[in-house]
């Protein structure tokens, strides 16, 4: 069953600015879907709409079989627990004045009725839970008492990944999570996402302009241009058909020759 | 070497607290060459650029030589050094928003820059500015009459390049000029830098952490790690026959495209 169905979604910022034009796609449970396109293609608008930070004019979103209406609070609360997001700028995703362990637990505090299944929380203090979460993303538990300013960009991004998965979301939206990181760190973060996806059976929607990153993580890829889907393909079948010229241009931009 | 335009000899930079930031760097850049300086954040890439430009913070101690056209840039006074900037040594920064004053139209800023370095009339400077903008594939009239915030990031960065190239520098330093842009716009920017290099024979020092970019565009790669150049050589040599463990690590972190993956052994990662 599809976990997420986006149907004819349209978003207009002003009279002449159409960020998304009748976009339709669906996402299967456990899948990793890549959305690739250049700046201004509507990638981030889509992410914002999906987590309810932005409204839309037309179309609809169905999550796990029920429609998501952006104005009703109660269903939205459950929806937001199940749909988590990682942003490009990990530095601004963490409160600079909170120690890491407090930031990590923010989500769990919001959903007190929930306990993650991958940690045996029995008898653990809050800080211990935070330490377990750090371990899950390959960070040393001693980082729990540090502040965001004392962490590297890659470490901060790992912390925000840990926070996002602490609620065991069914869907994880990643908006350019590696764009501002060094190449060596990029690979580490992508490898971590891949590992977590398999370990916890998370569905991933991965948004990026980097063909290299998208094809590393995702099995299926949608190419977005000026708010419309211009191409979509499964990774293994990339070269089976003549591709859209824009897809070719994106591949070309990433190629080494 | 006879062709060398810029020679860096044993360049060492020490911070006020006595920490060695650059530890004896040697580098040679030839006329018309595209040299890449790669390495991770904090390895000293930008510091090297700043030393060449003479814009290091005063409290840092610089030792060694930076020879350009027979003079040692390290020994120049600040004023003498500034005389070289723009006309002889051009620079494009990562933060393209900072390249222009936000509340003055691009055209006016281009004219101001051109007239600072060349004594020509306003009218001639305007013509030169429009020409420079057109060279980088921008719509010259529109950009000329725009404020920086009315343009996209790629457009502003290309306008910044036009401004730098309009002065026809002998050496152009590009400090992570595509990092803030997406791949498509980054490619456009690099294409114009490369075109200008071929037309004017100016040397380019491209500072980047993007390995794919260095492979694709440079003639020579210098690999920097913790303030030391650990390896350098022609691009092909660094790409296929690197020796140093750090270069190995760096080169193995390049993610592969599906078509390249067939030739690789490690899943997803480009291995050579």
């Amino acid at each position: 069953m599809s976990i997420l169905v986006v149907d004819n979604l349209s978003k207009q910022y002003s009279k002449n600015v159409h960020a998304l034009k009748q976009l339709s796609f669906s996402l299967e449970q456990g899948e990793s879907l890549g959305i690739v396109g250049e700046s201004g293609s509507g990638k981030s608008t889509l992410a914002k709409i999906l987590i309810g930070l932005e409204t839309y004019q037309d179309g609809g979103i169905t999550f796990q079989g029920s429609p998501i209406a952006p104005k009703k609070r109660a269903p939205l609360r459950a929806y937001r627990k199940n749909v988590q997001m990682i942003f490009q700028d990990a530095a601004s995703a963490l409160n600079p004045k909170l120690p890491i362990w407090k930031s990590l637990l923010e989500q769990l505090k919001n959903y007190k009725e929930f306990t993650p299944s991958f940690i045996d929380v029995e008898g653990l203090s809050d800080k211990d839970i935070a330490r377990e979460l750090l371990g899950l993303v390959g960070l040393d538990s001693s980082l729990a008492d540090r502040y965001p300013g004392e962490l590297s960009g890659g470490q901060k991004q790992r912390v925000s990944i840990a926070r996002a998965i602490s609620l065991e979301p069914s869907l994880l939206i990643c908006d350019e999570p590696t764009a501002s990181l060094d190449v060596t760190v990029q690979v580490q973060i992508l490898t971590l996402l891949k590992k977590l996806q398999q370990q916890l059976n998370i569905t991933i929607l991965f948004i990026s302009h980097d063909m290299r990153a998208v094809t590393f993580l995702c099995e299926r890829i949608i190419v977005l241009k000026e708010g419309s889907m211009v191409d979509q393909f499964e990774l293994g079948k990339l070269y089976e058909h003549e591709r859209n010229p824009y897809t070719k241009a994106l591949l070309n931009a990433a190629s080494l020759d | 070497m006879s062709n060398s335009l810029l020679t860096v000899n044993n360049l060492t930079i020490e911070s006020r607290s006595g920490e060695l930031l650059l530890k004896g760097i040697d580098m040679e850049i030839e006329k018309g060459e595209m040299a890449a300086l790669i390495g991770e954040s904090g390895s000293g890439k930008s510091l090297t650029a700043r030393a060449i430009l003479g814009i290091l913070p005063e409290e840092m101690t610089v030792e060694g030589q930076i020879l350009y056209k027979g003079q040692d840039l390290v020994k120049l006074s600040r004023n003498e050094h500034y005389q070289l900037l723009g006309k002889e040594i051009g620079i494009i920064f990562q933060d393209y928003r900072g390249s222009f004053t936000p509340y003055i139209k691009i055209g006016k800023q281009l004219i101001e820059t051109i007239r600072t370095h060349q004594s020509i009339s306003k009218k001639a400077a305007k013509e030169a500015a429009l020409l420079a903008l057109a060279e980088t594939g921008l719509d010259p009239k529109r950009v000329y009459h725009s404020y920086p915030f009315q343009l996209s990031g790629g457009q502003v960065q290309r306008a910044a390049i036009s401004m730098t190239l309009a002065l026809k520098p002998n050496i152009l330093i590009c400090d992570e000029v595509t990092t803030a842009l997406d791949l498509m716009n980054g490619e456009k920017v690099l294409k114009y830098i490369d075109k200008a290099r071929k037309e004017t024979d100016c040397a380019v020092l491209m500072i980047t952490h993007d390995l794919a970019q260095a492979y694709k565009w440079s003639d020579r790669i210098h690999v920097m790690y913790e303030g030391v150049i650990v390896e350098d050589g022609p691009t092909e040599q660094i790409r296929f026959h690197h020796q140093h463990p750090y270069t190995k690590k760096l080169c193995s972190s390049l993610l592969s495209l599906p078509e390249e993956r067939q030739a690789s052994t490690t899943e997803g990662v480009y291995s050579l």
Side-chain angles (χ1 to χ4, degrees), chain B residues 55-96:
Chain B
I55 51 171
L56 284 170
E58 299 242 345
E59 65 262 24
M60 287 186 183
T61 339
V62 186
E63 270 165 50
Q65 281 182 315
I66 303 174
L67 297 172
Y68 173 78
K69 282 190 175 173
Q71 51 184 340
D72 186 358
L73 300 187
V74 174
K75 294 212 174 67
L76 291 185
S77 74
R78 251 194 193 209
N79 251 336
E80 286 167 327
H81 212 142
Y82 283 179
Q83 293 299 318
L84 293 174
L85 299 188
K87 218 171 183 174
E88 302 273 342
I89 307 174
I91 171 85
I92 309 166
F93 293 101
Q94 171 179 350
D95 176 19
Y96 49 81

Coordinates of all heavy atoms in Angstrom, one line a residue, chain B residues 55-96:
Chain B
I55 N 45.1 39.7 2.6 CA 44.0 40.1 3.5 C 43.9 39.2 4.7 O 42.8 39.0 5.3 CB 42.6 40.1 2.7 CG1 42.4 38.7 2.0 CG2 42.6 41.2 1.7 CD1 41.0 38.5 1.4
L56 N 45.0 38.8 5.2 CA 45.0 38.0 6.5 C 44.8 39.0 7.7 O 45.2 40.1 7.6 CB 46.4 37.3 6.6 CG 46.6 36.1 5.8 CD1 48.1 35.7 5.9 CD2 45.7 34.9 6.2
P57 N 44.3 38.5 8.7 CA 44.2 39.3 9.9 C 45.6 39.7 10.4 O 46.5 38.9 10.3 CB 43.5 38.4 11.0 CG 42.9 37.4 10.2 CD 43.6 37.2 8.9
E58 N 45.7 41.0 10.9 CA 47.1 41.5 11.2 C 47.8 40.7 12.2 O 49.0 40.6 12.2 CB 46.9 42.9 11.8 CG 46.3 43.9 10.8 CD 47.2 45.0 10.4 OE1 48.2 45.2 11.1 OE2 46.9 45.7 9.4
E59 N 47.1 40.0 13.1 CA 47.8 39.3 14.2 C 48.4 38.0 13.8 O 49.1 37.4 14.6 CB 46.9 39.1 15.4 CG 45.7 38.2 15.2 CD 44.4 38.9 14.9 OE1 44.5 40.1 14.4 OE2 43.3 38.3 15.0
M60 N 48.2 37.6 12.5 CA 48.9 36.4 12.1 C 50.3 36.7 11.6 O 50.5 37.7 10.9 CB 48.0 35.7 11.0 CG 46.8 35.1 11.5 SD 45.9 34.2 10.2 CE 44.5 33.7 11.1
T61 N 51.2 35.8 11.9 CA 52.6 35.9 11.4 C 52.8 35.1 10.1 O 52.4 33.9 10.1 CB 53.6 35.5 12.5 OG1 52.9 35.5 13.7 CG2 54.8 36.3 12.5
V62 N 53.3 35.7 9.1 CA 53.5 35.0 7.8 C 55.0 34.9 7.6 O 55.7 35.9 7.7 CB 52.8 35.8 6.7 CG1 52.9 34.9 5.4 CG2 51.4 36.1 7.0
E63 N 55.4 33.7 7.3 CA 56.8 33.5 6.8 C 56.8 32.7 5.5 O 55.9 32.1 5.1 CB 57.6 32.7 7.9 CG 58.2 33.6 8.9 CD 58.6 32.8 10.2 OE1 59.3 31.8 10.0 OE2 58.3 33.2 11.3
G64 N 58.0 32.8 4.8 CA 58.1 32.2 3.5 C 57.9 33.2 2.4 O 57.9 34.4 2.7
Q65 N 57.8 32.7 1.2 CA 57.7 33.6 0.1 C 56.5 33.4 -0.8 O 56.0 32.2 -0.9 CB 58.9 33.4 -0.9 CG 60.2 34.0 -0.4 CD 61.3 33.7 -1.4 OE1 61.4 32.6 -1.9 NE2 62.1 34.7 -1.8
I66 N 55.9 34.4 -1.3 CA 54.9 34.3 -2.4 C 55.4 35.2 -3.6 O 55.3 36.4 -3.5 CB 53.5 34.8 -2.0 CG1 53.1 34.0 -0.7 CG2 52.5 34.5 -3.1 CD1 51.8 34.5 -0.1
L67 N 56.0 34.5 -4.5 CA 56.6 35.3 -5.6 C 55.6 35.5 -6.8 O 55.0 34.5 -7.3 CB 57.9 34.6 -6.2 CG 59.0 34.4 -5.2 CD1 60.1 33.5 -5.7 CD2 59.6 35.8 -4.8
Y68 N 55.4 36.7 -7.1 CA 54.5 37.0 -8.3 C 55.2 38.1 -9.1 O 55.6 39.1 -8.6 CB 53.2 37.6 -7.8 CG 52.3 38.1 -8.9 CD1 51.6 37.2 -9.7 CD2 52.2 39.4 -9.1 CE1 50.8 37.6 -10.7 CE2 51.4 39.9 -10.1 CZ 50.7 39.0 -10.9 OH 49.9 39.5 -11.9
K69 N 55.5 37.8 -10.4 CA 56.2 38.7 -11.3 C 57.5 39.2 -10.6 O 57.7 40.4 -10.7 CB 55.3 39.8 -11.7 CG 54.3 39.5 -12.7 CD 53.6 40.7 -13.2 CE 52.7 40.4 -14.3 NZ 51.9 41.6 -14.7
G70 N 58.2 38.3 -10.0 CA 59.5 38.8 -9.4 C 59.5 39.5 -8.1 O 60.5 39.8 -7.6
Q71 N 58.3 39.8 -7.6 CA 58.3 40.4 -6.3 C 57.7 39.5 -5.2 O 56.8 38.7 -5.5 CB 57.5 41.8 -6.3 CG 56.2 41.7 -7.0 CD 55.5 43.1 -7.1 OE1 55.9 44.0 -6.4 NE2 54.6 43.2 -7.9
D72 N 58.1 39.7 -4.0 CA 57.6 38.8 -2.9 C 56.4 39.5 -2.3 O 56.6 40.5 -1.6 CB 58.8 38.6 -1.9 CG 58.4 37.6 -0.9 OD1 57.2 37.1 -0.9 OD2 59.2 37.3 0.0
L73 N 55.3 38.9 -2.4 CA 54.1 39.5 -1.9 C 54.1 39.6 -0.4 O 53.5 40.5 0.2 CB 52.8 38.7 -2.4 CG 52.6 38.6 -3.9 CD1 51.2 37.9 -4.1 CD2 52.6 39.9 -4.6
V74 N 54.8 38.7 0.3 CA 54.8 38.7 1.7 C 55.4 39.9 2.3 O 55.1 40.5 3.3 CB 55.5 37.4 2.2 CG1 55.7 37.4 3.7 CG2 54.8 36.1 1.8
K75 N 56.4 40.4 1.5 CA 57.2 41.6 2.0 C 56.5 42.9 1.6 O 57.0 44.0 2.1 CB 58.6 41.6 1.4 CG 59.4 40.4 1.9 CD 60.9 40.7 2.0 CE 61.7 39.6 2.6 NZ 61.7 38.4 1.8
L76 N 55.5 42.9 0.8 CA 54.9 44.1 0.4 C 54.1 44.8 1.5 O 53.6 44.1 2.4 CB 53.9 43.9 -0.8 CG 54.4 43.5 -2.1 CD1 53.3 43.4 -3.1 CD2 55.4 44.5 -2.6
S77 N 54.0 46.1 1.5 CA 53.2 46.8 2.5 C 51.7 46.5 2.1 O 51.4 46.2 1.0 CB 53.5 48.2 2.6 OG 53.0 48.9 1.4
R78 N 50.8 46.8 3.0 CA 49.4 46.6 2.7 C 49.0 47.4 1.5 O 48.3 46.9 0.6 CB 48.6 47.0 3.9 CG 48.0 45.7 4.5 CD 47.0 45.7 5.4 NE 47.2 44.2 5.8 CZ 46.3 43.4 6.2 NH1 45.1 43.9 6.4 NH2 46.5 42.2 6.5
N79 N 49.4 48.6 1.5 CA 49.1 49.5 0.4 C 49.6 49.0 -1.0 O 48.8 48.9 -2.0 CB 49.6 50.9 0.6 CG 48.4 51.8 0.9 OD1 47.3 51.5 0.5 ND2 48.7 52.9 1.6
E80 N 50.8 48.6 -1.0 CA 51.4 48.0 -2.2 C 50.7 46.8 -2.7 O 50.4 46.6 -3.8 CB 52.9 47.7 -2.0 CG 53.8 48.9 -1.9 CD 55.2 48.6 -1.4 OE1 55.3 47.7 -0.6 OE2 56.1 49.3 -1.9
H81 N 50.3 46.0 -1.7 CA 49.6 44.7 -2.0 C 48.2 45.0 -2.6 O 47.8 44.4 -3.6 CB 49.4 43.9 -0.7 CG 49.4 42.4 -0.9 ND1 50.0 41.6 -0.1 CD2 48.9 41.7 -1.9 CE1 49.9 40.3 -0.5 NE2 49.2 40.4 -1.6
Y82 N 47.5 46.0 -2.0 CA 46.2 46.4 -2.5 C 46.2 46.8 -3.9 O 45.3 46.7 -4.7 CB 45.6 47.4 -1.6 CG 45.1 46.8 -0.3 CD1 44.5 47.6 0.7 CD2 45.1 45.5 0.0 CE1 44.0 47.1 1.9 CE2 44.7 44.9 1.2 CZ 44.1 45.7 2.1 OH 43.7 45.2 3.3
Q83 N 47.4 47.5 -4.3 CA 47.5 48.0 -5.7 C 47.3 46.8 -6.7 O 46.9 47.0 -7.8 CB 48.8 48.6 -5.9 CG 49.0 49.9 -5.1 CD 48.0 51.0 -5.5 OE1 47.7 51.1 -6.7 NE2 47.4 51.6 -4.5
L84 N 47.8 45.6 -6.3 CA 47.7 44.5 -7.2 C 46.3 43.9 -7.3 O 46.0 43.2 -8.3 CB 48.7 43.4 -6.7 CG 50.2 43.7 -6.7 CD1 50.9 42.6 -6.0 CD2 50.7 43.8 -8.1
L85 N 45.5 44.1 -6.3 CA 44.2 43.4 -6.2 C 43.3 43.9 -7.3 O 43.3 45.1 -7.6 CB 43.6 43.5 -4.9 CG 44.4 42.9 -3.7 CD1 43.5 42.9 -2.4 CD2 44.8 41.5 -4.0
G86 N 42.5 43.0 -7.9 CA 41.6 43.5 -8.9 C 42.3 43.4 -10.3 O 41.9 42.5 -11.1
K87 N 43.2 44.3 -10.5 CA 43.9 44.3 -11.8 C 44.8 43.1 -12.1 O 44.8 42.6 -13.2 CB 44.7 45.6 -11.9 CG 44.6 46.3 -13.2 CD 45.3 47.6 -13.1 CE 45.2 48.4 -14.4 NZ 45.7 49.7 -14.2
E88 N 45.6 42.8 -11.1 CA 46.5 41.7 -11.3 C 46.0 40.4 -10.7 O 46.0 39.3 -11.4 CB 47.9 42.0 -10.6 CG 48.5 43.3 -11.1 CD 49.4 43.1 -12.3 OE1 49.8 41.9 -12.5 OE2 49.7 44.0 -13.0
I89 N 45.5 40.5 -9.5 CA 45.0 39.3 -8.8 C 43.5 39.5 -8.6 O 43.1 40.4 -7.8 CB 45.7 39.0 -7.5 CG1 47.2 39.0 -7.7 CG2 45.2 37.7 -6.9 CD1 48.0 38.9 -6.5
G90 N 42.7 38.7 -9.2 CA 41.2 38.8 -9.0 C 40.7 37.8 -8.0 O 41.3 36.7 -7.9
I91 N 39.6 38.0 -7.4 CA 39.1 37.1 -6.4 C 37.6 37.0 -6.6 O 36.9 38.0 -6.8 CB 39.5 37.5 -5.0 CG1 38.7 36.6 -3.9 CG2 39.2 38.9 -4.7 CD1 39.4 35.3 -3.6
I92 N 37.1 35.8 -6.5 CA 35.6 35.6 -6.4 C 35.4 34.7 -5.1 O 36.0 33.7 -4.9 CB 35.1 34.8 -7.6 CG1 35.5 35.5 -8.9 CG2 33.6 34.8 -7.6 CD1 35.3 34.6 -10.1
F93 N 34.4 35.2 -4.3 CA 34.2 34.5 -3.1 C 33.0 33.6 -3.2 O 32.2 33.6 -4.1 CB 33.9 35.5 -1.9 CG 35.1 36.3 -1.6 CD1 35.3 37.6 -2.1 CD2 36.1 35.8 -0.8 CE1 36.4 38.4 -1.8 CE2 37.2 36.6 -0.5 CZ 37.4 37.9 -1.0
Q94 N 32.9 32.7 -2.1 CA 31.7 31.8 -2.0 C 30.4 32.6 -1.8 O 29.4 32.3 -2.4 CB 32.0 30.9 -0.9 CG 30.7 30.0 -0.5 CD 31.0 29.1 0.6 OE1 32.1 28.9 1.1 NE2 30.0 28.4 1.1
D95 N 30.5 33.6 -0.9 CA 29.3 34.3 -0.5 C 29.0 35.4 -1.6 O 29.5 36.5 -1.4 CB 29.5 34.9 0.8 CG 28.3 35.8 1.2 OD1 27.2 35.6 0.6 OD2 28.5 36.6 2.2
Y96 N 28.3 35.0 -2.6 CA 28.0 36.0 -3.7 C 27.2 37.2 -3.2 O 27.3 38.3 -3.8 CB 27.4 35.3 -4.9 CG 26.2 34.5 -4.5 CD1 24.9 35.0 -4.3 CD2 26.3 33.1 -4.3 CE1 23.8 34.3 -3.9 CE2 25.2 32.3 -4.0 CZ 24.0 32.9 -3.8 OH 22.9 32.2 -3.4

